[in-house]
Amino acid sequence: MASNPDLVQYIVDQCAGAGTITARKMFGDYGLYCNGVIFALVSDNRFYIKPTDAARPLLRSEVLEPPYEGAKPYFYIEEIDDRDYLSSLVKATYQALPLPKPKKKNKQSQ
């Protein structure tokens, strides 16, 4: 089941205190990015944050489950209405994740 774009935008807005939050559609669901780093997924209208040791102590309840079949477990975040809570989780997660590797430039032969 695809996620509702209005719900995704609501979650993006709720996390905005952590940095520049964007959503990209991926196979009917969404990847969420903070300052260009993917930190979460919205899958079947459920919000999942990548698990990190930095975010773990901030969780109100720790539920690890895969966002889709075959995926690694993520923290499932049920409480999406507390902007400060979500922003603190996103900040801690973002800071603990590695920066994306620079894209290699394609050499074209002439």
Side-chain angles (χ1 to χ4, degrees), residues 13-19 82-92:
D13 293 342
Q14 290 294 91
C15 297
D82 186 336
R83 180 183 298 257
D84 293 334
Y85 173 59
L86 291 185
S87 291
S88 67
L89 284 176
V90 173
K91 276 184 192 175

Side-chain angles (χ1 to χ4, degrees), residues 32-58:
L32 299 186
Y33 296 76
C34 179
N35 303 324
V37 175
I38 190 164
F39 72 91
L41 301 173
V42 178
S43 181
D44 292 334
N45 290 323
R46 294 168 59 105
F47 182 45
Y48 297 92
I49 290 182
K50 285 187 174 187
T52 63
D53 289 337
R56 182 170 267 121
L58 303 174

Side-chain angles (χ1 to χ4, degrees), residues 2-75:
S3 293
N4 180 328
D6 292 334
L7 174 67
V8 173
Q9 187 58 53
Y10 178 74
I11 294 170
V12 165
D13 293 342
Q14 290 294 91
C15 297
T20 301
I21 308 297
T22 56
R24 293 186 191 152
K25 195 165 180 118
M26 300 168 52
F27 307 108
D29 286 310
Y30 293 83
L32 299 186
Y33 296 76
C34 179
N35 303 324
V37 175
I38 190 164
F39 72 91
L41 301 173
V42 178
S43 181
D44 292 334
N45 290 323
R46 294 168 59 105
F47 182 45
Y48 297 92
I49 290 182
K50 285 187 174 187
T52 63
D53 289 337
R56 182 170 267 121
L58 303 174
L59 294 170
R60 293 182 179 160
S61 65
E62 184 176 326
V63 178
L64 273 169
E65 62 183 57
Y68 54 88
E69 190 175 323
K72 293 180 182 179
Y74 277 53
F75 293 137

